[in-house]
Amino acid sequence: MDLYSLFKLLHIVAAVVWAGGGFALMLLAFRADRAGNVEGMLQAMGSIGQLGKRLFVPASLATLVFGLIMCTFWVGFRDLWVVIGLAGYATTFLVGTLIFQPTGDRMAAMIARDGVTPAALDQGRRILKVARFDYAVMLIILADMVLKPTASDVPVLSAMAVLFVAGAWAAFGTQRGVAVPAA
């Protein structure tokens, strides 16, 4: 096995842990919330918070580092798919840093101070809503890494753009007819 293959394997394993583990927990929290299972939602959100710093952040950083190593020594940074991947990583990093972390901390503080209140649950639901965008971006990154589109791959790039817009709308747009169970 050559070094490139080793770093590619490490890059993929780290990405699977980061994206797959977070997605599974987010899905559990979302399903519990939709079913009105407040305790299940809080357990899943608590696991996301606990594993975030211990597992998901290190896995995301390992994904980045191994990807950067491959680009530095073998691939380069000029291909469109590399730029899209790095932009996607920056987006998910900013979402985690600017939205997930402070909102999760605020939710935990509210629960510690006042118990489980509708306001605390609203913070959790905000995280779940923004996670739709975050995972749309992660799906774009995964497709980007596999398909390696160039500027002439208009259908692939168009599909990525549609997914980005749909994820942004699902997270930040208004949604009518979606009932959120009361606490």
Side-chain angles (χ1 to χ4, degrees):
M1 174 180 1
D2 61 355
L3 277 178
Y4 177 79
S5 296
L6 175 64
F7 282 111
K8 187 160 106 174
L9 172 66
L10 294 172
H11 176 71
I12 291 168
V13 169
V16 166
V17 170
W18 169 37
F23 181 78
L25 286 173
M26 186 267 312
L27 194 58
L28 286 173
F30 180 75
R31 288 187 59 188
D33 184 44
R34 296 287 268 183
N37 180 353
V38 172
E39 187 60 34
M41 177 189 158
L42 292 175
Q43 284 179 337
M45 297 295 291
S47 294
I48 292 168
Q50 290 171 353
L51 291 174
K53 292 177 185 171
R54 293 186 182 122
L55 181 65
F56 301 137
V57 169
S60 76
L61 290 173
T63 302
L64 176 65
V65 167
F66 293 133
L68 290 174
I69 289 170
M70 289 187 303
C71 286
T72 300
F73 293 107
W74 294 284
V75 177
F77 293 92
R78 294 182 186 204
D79 291 336
L80 178 61
W81 66 271
V82 172
V83 173
I84 290 171
L86 289 171
Y89 181 87
T91 301
T92 63
F93 179 82
L94 289 172
V95 166
T97 303
L98 300 177
I99 298 174
F100 290 158
Q101 184 67 44
T103 306
D105 290 347
R106 200 167 30 255
M107 180 180 148
M110 292 169 84
I111 291 172
R113 184 183 62 239
D114 304 323
V116 178
T117 63
L121 291 174
D122 284 345
Q123 294 298 306
R125 289 182 183 112
R126 179 175 185 233
I127 291 171
L128 292 177
K129 196 170 183 187
V130 175
R132 296 172 186 168
F133 173 71
D134 194 52
Y135 281 97
V137 172
M138 284 194 190
L139 182 56
I140 292 167
I141 296 168
L142 292 171
D144 178 62
M145 293 292 114
V146 171
L147 301 174
K148 297 179 179 21
T150 64
S152 63
D153 293 321
V154 175
V156 172
L157 295 172
S158 297
M160 289 176 167
V162 167
L163 183 56
F164 184 85
V165 170
W169 180 84
F172 307 113
T174 58
Q175 294 182 356
R176 295 182 190 149
V178 176
V180 179

